[in-house]
Amino acid sequence: KVEKRTVELRHEKEKVESAHKDIRDSINYAKKIQTAILPQDSQFAELLPNSFVLFKPKDIVSGDFYWISEVNEKIYFVAADCTGHGVPGALVSVVCSNALNRSVKEFGIIEPGKILDKVRELVIETFEKSESEVNDGMDISLCSFNPKTNELKWAGANNPLWIVRKKEFIEFKPNKQSIGKIDSE
């Protein structure tokens, strides 16, 4: 009787270990996909030579992401924090990154505040297709930088802008509204 129970427990342990391995392999593959949507370090080095990115996700995949694009000699860059952590946050980050790409490249919007308005519209549109209510989105800081004039434009949705200049710390407060479906605009 004890031997039979021991065999059963070993079998159950093997099933759990196999399921755990499958889940971990799946999450690691999701990391490859998420990494593919993030800009390469070389892109930052080329567009903003004195910049750096500090990206330390809590989990294997993350709801945090960064983004950069050059359009009409202006450099657009983002730091964003999507709803959720881990796999759900990573899925939302893909939707939000895609909305940024579409807003700037497909729709040709160049003003930071208007970009965020369009991103919000696209994110809501994407999640409204669901039969269940999805109220996910992101907090974001978006900058437009003109390297010829040194002009920086910024819009923030629940994420501030921090500038350090000559050892002085300057904070610009964001709108207290996330990107996504919320009760009051």
Side-chain angles (χ1 to χ4, degrees):
K1 193 170 182 170
V2 171
E3 285 180 19
K4 184 180 178 188
R5 186 68 184 136
T6 302
V7 169
E8 287 174 356
L9 287 173
R10 272 195 201 122
H11 180 68
E12 291 301 314
K13 179 182 179 230
E14 288 170 3
K15 284 172 44 178
V16 168
E17 287 173 346
S18 177
H20 183 264
K21 182 186 179 312
D22 289 347
I23 291 167
R24 192 154 222 28
D25 289 348
S26 181
I27 292 170
N28 283 326
Y29 193 78
K31 179 181 175 63
K32 287 182 182 179
I33 293 169
Q34 186 176 41
T35 301
I37 71 160
L38 294 174
Q40 299 289 317
D41 290 344
S42 59
Q43 191 176 8
F44 270 92
E46 178 188 331
L47 296 175
L48 296 170
N50 295 319
S51 68
F52 66 93
V53 174
L54 178 62
F55 183 63
K56 294 189 158 277
K58 182 180 137 226
D59 298 313
I60 295 170
V61 290
S62 173
D64 298 338
F65 75 98
Y66 51 94
W67 177 91
I68 192 167
S69 184
E70 183 179 28
V71 179
N72 298 332
E73 299 181 4
K74 288 185 183 170
I75 301 161
Y76 295 85
F77 55 98
V78 157
D81 177 9
C82 294
T83 310
H85 297 283
V87 174
L91 289 171
V92 175
S93 76
V94 171
V95 169
C96 293
S97 178
N98 183 55
L100 277 164
N101 281 322
R102 289 188 66 205
S103 297
V104 172
K105 295 174 182 171
E106 181 182 329
F107 294 101
I109 303 169
I110 59 170
E111 290 299 317
K114 292 185 185 323
I115 293 169
L116 292 187
D117 289 341
K118 186 64 174 180
V119 167
R120 180 176 182 274
E121 179 186 314
L122 293 170
V123 168
I124 290 170
E125 181 182 290
T126 299
F127 289 137
E128 279 183 339
K129 295 174 187 170
S130 172
E131 289 182 11
S132 59
E133 189 171 5
V134 179
N135 291 325
D136 289 298
M138 68 178 158
D139 296 340
I140 184 171
S141 235
L142 183 147
C143 292
S144 164
F145 177 64
N146 183 332
K148 289 183 179 174
T149 64
N150 254 3
E151 180 182 41
L152 180 77
K153 291 184 179 180
W154 166 78
N158 224 24
N159 253 12
L161 171 65
W162 296 330
I163 295 176
V164 178
R165 183 182 295 139
K166 297 179 184 173
K167 297 184 181 183
E168 179 187 7
F169 180 82
I170 306 163
E171 179 177 14
F172 293 88
K173 302 279 185 191
N175 287 344
K176 290 293 180 187
Q177 173 182 318
S178 293
I179 299 294
K181 191 173 181 182
I182 58 171
D183 292 334
S184 58
E185 288 185 34

